[in-house]
Amino acid sequence: MKENWLKSEIVTYWAVIWSILSLGCYLTFSVVEPGAARPLWFILTTTGLEEIGLIVSGYLCLRNWRSDRIPSGRGVWLLLAIAIFAFFVGNLWFFGWEVLWGLNPAASAGNPCFVVFYLMLIIGVRLAILDRDVRLARPQWAIVMGVTTFGLIVGCWLTTSSVRATSLPPMTPMAIEQPQLASPPTGDLSQIAPEVVKQIQSPPGWVSAIDRGMQPLVKSFNLFYVLCDLILLVFATILFLGFWGGHLGAPWRKIAQGVLCFYIADTWFASASDRVQGYQSGSIMEVFWIFGIVQFGIAAALEFDNSIRARRLARRRTVNN
């Protein structure tokens, strides 16, 4: 009965609905007037959409790991499950830093979780490529080289923009005195007007200590994320080209699409954080994180159904023999 409710057709159906709901929420409510903050209910809604999607996708990957009939190998899905759950925990820390305590989320305690996410995802996708013995033709390798060049250009652009951003003078309090306080402003509290700070819950001592410890590492974390995004972009291209067409290759095309969605969202967030003073999360481009999350869930459901079909086919052959 459980398998019937988690068939790939049903998972895909709900994933499409989840993506449409998320896109509609971002399109309708993510745009605010200049100087205004996004309402708290919107931040809660978008965070909930991400977290619920992560729980479901992580469970589906974990289900594949527990199955002894997965043709692609159980280790791949265990790594993907760990990556997804690490992102889930990192998102909670990010939310707390930005919304609950009004701190710079780039220095949150979620950074170690995001590091685990990137490492496990890279290792998992690489293992999938090796296990499936993906081989590309020369024209396909030329496409991979082109994508790699594009990723290097984007990475260099993000790195140089980050350097320019750190050299800019800090934002004056007068520029952010008028936000709507339904959602607390982000950034360093020392740069916010006193009457605004009074309405933000003071962070506990241990949060302030972690924040101070993370601040010097923000640039290093950002560089690490840019490098990992480049590696994932290359691996996603190899997966997409290696499994072009065919029913058995559908899960890996979905994973490649999910990685691409994460790359788009990560690139936008890194660019906006560096170029927009006092940037607050919730922009329309961040919906690609949700798109990527549901792609991983669809991929896991498709692979599980493939294993069931393979099992039934083996039984029929045994009976016929």
Side-chain angles (χ1 to χ4, degrees):
M1 186 68 179
K2 183 188 295 185
E3 292 185 357
N4 291 334
W5 280 104
L6 293 176
K7 291 174 59 177
S8 59
E9 293 84 358
I10 298 177
V11 171
T12 302
Y13 174 76
W14 282 107
V16 171
I17 292 178
W18 203 255
S19 299
I20 293 174
L21 288 175
S22 302
L23 180 60
C25 181
Y26 274 94
L27 285 175
T28 307
F29 304 108
S30 66
V31 179
V32 295
E33 297 180 358
R38 293 183 176 90
L40 178 60
W41 66 262
F42 173 77
I43 303 298
L44 289 171
T45 300
T46 54
T47 302
L49 289 170
E50 287 186 25
E51 297 295 79
I52 293 174
L54 286 166
I55 291 176
V56 175
S57 296
Y59 170 76
L60 292 172
C61 291
L62 205 60
R63 182 182 66 162
N64 286 4
W65 168 67
R66 296 175 61 187
S67 173
D68 57 356
R69 297 298 183 92
I70 292 297
S72 55
R74 299 166 59 189
V76 174
W77 297 103
L78 176 60
L79 291 170
L80 293 179
I82 294 174
I84 291 172
F85 287 128
F87 197 90
F88 172 86
V89 177
N91 255 5
L92 293 179
W93 285 117
F94 188 98
F95 174 84
W97 245 250
E98 182 181 41
V99 177
L100 297 183
W101 301 305
L103 299 171
N104 179 13
S108 75
N111 279 303
C113 300
F114 295 137
V115 169
V116 173
F117 164 77
Y118 277 108
L119 292 178
M120 294 298 101
L121 187 58
I122 289 174
I123 297 173
V125 175
R126 176 56 178 164
L127 185 60
I129 294 174
L130 292 176
D131 287 349
R132 307 297 289 181
D133 193 21
V134 178
R135 298 181 181 181
L136 303 181
R138 289 185 178 180
Q140 292 175 319
W141 279 115
I143 296 176
V144 173
M145 293 301 297
V147 171
T148 303
T149 303
F150 169 80
L152 285 172
I153 294 173
V154 173
C156 292
W157 172 66
L158 290 175
T159 303
T160 55
S161 66
S162 177
V163 173
R164 289 197 301 268
T166 55
S167 65
L168 293 174
M171 192 175 187
T172 59
M174 290 299 295
I176 50 176
E177 280 184 353
Q178 302 299 327
Q180 298 175 356
L181 294 177
S183 175
T186 61
D188 188 353
L189 293 181
S190 63
Q191 300 175 10
I192 304 177
E195 59 271 22
V196 174
V197 176
K198 291 179 181 178
Q199 302 185 48
I200 302 175
Q201 182 179 356
S202 299
W206 61 270
V207 171
S208 300
I210 294 176
D211 186 74
R212 289 192 300 270
M214 286 288 182
Q215 286 293 344
L217 303 175
V218 168
K219 186 176 180 181
S220 298
F221 279 125
N222 290 339
L223 291 175
F224 174 81
Y225 299 151
V226 169
L227 177 60
C228 290
D229 278 328
L230 173 60
I231 296 174
L232 286 172
L233 180 63
V234 174
F235 284 176
T237 305
I238 294 175
L239 273 180
F240 196 81
L241 295 175
F243 292 97
W244 185 275
H247 181 75
L248 294 178
W252 308 107
R253 292 195 299 273
K254 292 297 181 181
I255 288 179
Q257 293 170 11
V259 170
L260 179 60
C261 290
F262 267 84
Y263 177 83
I264 293 173
D266 288 345
T267 302
W268 161 258
F269 186 81
S271 174
S273 299
D274 288 336
R275 293 174 174 267
V276 179
Q277 292 276 348
Y279 176 77
Q280 183 187 36
S281 62
S283 175
I284 178 61
M285 295 299 292
E286 294 177 22
V287 73
F288 279 93
W289 274 319
I290 300 178
F291 291 166
I293 291 166
V294 300
Q295 293 295 319
F296 288 127
I298 295 174
L302 288 172
E303 187 68 0
F304 191 82
D305 280 4
N306 287 343
S307 69
I308 293 177
R309 293 189 185 97
R311 189 184 313 173
R312 290 173 179 172
L313 182 60
R315 289 176 181 174
R316 291 175 185 175
R317 289 176 177 174
T318 302
V319 172
N320 293 335
N321 292 334

